[in-house]
Amino acid sequence: MNEIDVISLENEMDLVLAHKRSLNLGQKLGLTLATCTTFATAISEIARTVIEHTNNGSLSIGLVPVDQRFALSGRFTFGSPERFVPADGYFYAQKLVPEFSRIEHDGITIIELRIGIPRSINLNRAKITALAAYFKDAPPINAYEEIKKRNRTLNRIAEEKEEELKRSKIIDQKKTEFISVASHEIKTPITVIKAYSQMIKVMKEGCSDQVKSIVDKIDGQTSKLLALVQQLLDVSKFENGHISYQMERVQIGDLIADMVAVMKHITPNHEFRVSVIKDIKVSIDKLRMEQVFSNLLGNAAKYSRKNTVISIKAGVDTQGFAQISVSDQGIGMNERDIRSVFEKFYRSDDVLNSHAGLGMGLYIASKIVTDHGGRIWVESTPGTGSTFHFTIPASS
Ligand code: ADP
């Protein structure tokens, strides 16, 4: 069939559309008023029967070539209902048109009715194409059709978006799998290099001071590499939900004191100021929480000049949560950075070329904090400094 228009048959309102569109097609073809009305009436009667039995029917109206000429055709397609009981209208329609057929195949019913078009109406491919274009662009017959058209467009957009989302989820999953496999593969040889460099470091003889200093550097760099690979592994663990926590009760002040002692060793050119309210106990996974502290303290040092102050405060907020704040006097961040720093792999444009990093630390820190039932946020002013705050439930 050379399809001119398609109407989905869902409810009574579609009867009007089916009637008007088929009448309009007859008129456009130049058929007599009687033929147009007969065709449109037969179409409406069958449409009514289809709507009574199912809400998944559709009507295609168009032109079918038959013996060197064309016939006007209306073809109904719908999922065969368990019981199809044709009403009077159905038999009336059958009598109205010269050709009527009904077939059932594979659970689908197709009813087709046809009226021959006189040869005097000269139809050719160009005319049929023009007719199809006319119906495609025809304005909606009524408000219902307008809503129906918009609905169809919206549904199509929703389907496309869903498909897009599915595709990007699959790509993301593959990326995470790749990161996980690659990090595992990289971790093994680095661990071996680290073990050998430590063996050389403790060798008393056969190693000059120069060699020892080189081995020290190799050891330091492999530690950094290992930390990076561990972060990559953590990202994929969080993505896959494969993270487990070993909770223990800890004095937050003790943990902060330990972390600051380590940081003073790593970044001796910053001044650390600690102000902690005594006796705040929290239930945490200590190793994971150390990761949060070392990321926040490490960033505070990395993104500020030497000899500036890094302050660590701990207290209890109004809801009884332990609240920890890490402030620096560094480069600060703009509004966009503030909104995005906790996203995976996010790095501010300002640091891309000046500071090494992969944008994983804050993403991991935020996951750890939220998994502990707390929240993390940042306040910052460009050129002045940043304060990262996070909370964790205090244990009574
Ligand atoms: P990385 O430091 O490896 O880039 P992070 O996830 O720890 O990754 O940080 C993400 C981004 O947040 C950094 O690239 C930087 O732009 C910004 N950032 C984090 N901490 C600070 C800070 N204390 N001061 C200024 N910018 C910061």
Side-chain angles (χ1 to χ4, degrees), residues 228 231 295-304 326-334 337-338 340-352 355-365 378 380 385-388:
L228 274 179
Q231 278 196 331
N295 175 253
L296 297 184
L297 294 171
N299 278 351
K302 180 158 91 175
Y303 297 111
S304 63
V326 176
S327 308
D328 62 58
Q329 300 171 329
I331 58 172
M333 280 179 259
N334 60 32
D337 296 336
I338 290 174
S340 314
V341 276
F342 300 106
E343 284 170 17
K344 192 173 49 171
F345 306 132
Y346 181 84
R347 305 205 71 219
S348 156
D349 289 343
D350 300 338
V351 305
L352 282 181
H355 298 75
L358 291 177
M360 292 184 288
L362 284 177
Y363 169 74
I364 294 171
V378 61
S380 187
S386 313
T387 301
F388 283 84

Side-chain angles (χ1 to χ4, degrees), residues 12 23 133 160 168 170 178 188 207 215 228 240 244 254 285 294 313 332 335 356 371 374 383:
E12 305 286 307
L23 189 69
E160 281 169 9
S168 71
I170 292 171
F178 171 76
T188 317
C207 238
V215 171
L228 274 179
N240 299 325
S244 61
D254 294 345
D285 181 313
S294 62
K313 289 189 184 145
E335 284 297 320
D371 283 354

Side-chain angles (χ1 to χ4, degrees), residues 44-69:
S44 314
E45 290 303 337
I46 301 297
R48 190 190 308 282
T49 312
V50 171
I51 289 168
E52 267 166 20
H53 284 86
T54 164
N55 59 4
N56 62 9
S58 81
L59 161 68
S60 299
I61 48 174
L63 299 156
V64 188
V66 194
D67 300 337
Q68 311 282 318
R69 59 181 190 142

Side-chain angles (χ1 to χ4, degrees), residues 96-344:
L96 279 176
V97 290
E99 275 188 66
F100 187 99
S101 66
R102 177 173 137 206
I103 51 168
E104 275 186 45
H105 183 66
D106 261 355
I108 301 285
T109 303
I110 297 172
I111 296 175
E112 186 170 2
L113 28 100
R114 289 181 185 177
I115 292 184
I117 296 174
R119 277 207 183 82
S120 53
I121 295 176
N122 227 342
L123 271 178
N124 55 34
R125 187 129 301 280
K127 276 189 189 164
I128 294 173
T129 312
L131 260 178
Y134 168 84
F135 275 88
K136 189 168 169 272
D137 299 334
I141 284 171
N142 50 26
Y144 170 72
E145 195 187 18
E146 191 171 348
I147 293 169
K148 207 173 160 182
K149 270 190 175 168
R150 283 193 195 169
N151 249 353
R152 217 177 295 140
T153 314
L154 280 177
N155 280 343
R156 209 195 54 239
I157 294 172
E159 270 166 24
E160 281 169 9
K161 290 276 165 226
E162 212 170 294
E163 193 53 39
E164 219 172 90
L165 199 73
K166 233 189 266 170
R167 251 181 284 133
S168 71
K169 267 190 186 160
I170 292 171
I171 293 171
D172 211 43
Q173 213 175 323
K174 287 213 155 96
K175 219 164 52 189
T176 313
E177 270 168 35
F178 171 76
I179 291 175
S180 167
V181 172
S183 326
H184 269 295
E185 293 299 318
I186 297 168
K187 196 177 171 185
T188 317
I190 301 177
T191 314
V192 175
I193 295 171
K194 176 133 187 93
Y196 278 123
S197 63
Q198 285 185 337
M199 277 164 66
I200 300 173
K201 267 170 78 175
V202 294
M203 269 166 61
K204 297 235 163 35
E205 288 161 19
C207 238
S208 69
D209 285 349
Q210 198 187 357
V211 171
K212 279 193 176 165
S213 121
I214 293 172
V215 171
D216 260 347
K217 286 187 180 124
I218 294 176
D219 190 45
Q221 294 301 321
T222 30
S223 297
K224 281 190 187 168
L225 257 178
L226 264 180
L228 274 179
V229 171
Q230 190 53 51
Q231 278 196 331
L232 278 170
L233 276 170
D234 280 348
V235 167
S236 44
K237 272 188 196 161
F238 279 110
E239 297 284 284
N240 299 325
H242 291 161
I243 204 109
S244 61
Y245 292 94
Q246 314 297 324
M247 305 302 256
E248 57 183 299
R249 254 160 74 98
V250 181
Q251 284 272 9
I252 200 77
D254 294 345
L255 181 63
I256 291 174
D258 289 349
M259 290 310 300
V260 170
V262 175
M263 287 309 294
K264 274 183 181 165
H265 184 66
I266 300 171
T267 52
N269 295 315
H270 280 88
E271 186 190 328
F272 288 88
R273 288 187 196 156
V274 180
S275 149
V276 176
I277 290 178
K278 270 194 182 159
D279 215 23
I280 309 172
K281 287 199 184 73
V282 285
S283 184
I284 53 169
D285 181 313
K286 207 169 156 214
L287 285 178
R288 288 288 174 197
M289 207 42 81
E290 280 176 8
Q291 230 178 317
V292 176
F293 276 102
S294 62
N295 175 253
L296 297 184
L297 294 171
N299 278 351
K302 180 158 91 175
Y303 297 111
S304 63
R305 271 181 290 109
K306 283 180 184 172
N307 303 320
T308 52
V309 175
I310 296 172
S311 325
I312 303 108
K313 289 189 184 145
V316 178
D317 74 4
T318 48
Q319 281 150 29
F321 280 60
Q323 180 170 330
I324 298 99
S325 308
V326 176
S327 308
D328 62 58
Q329 300 171 329
I331 58 172
M333 280 179 259
N334 60 32
E335 284 297 320
R336 184 172 172 249
D337 296 336
I338 290 174
R339 274 199 308 276
S340 314
V341 276
F342 300 106
E343 284 170 17
K344 192 173 49 171

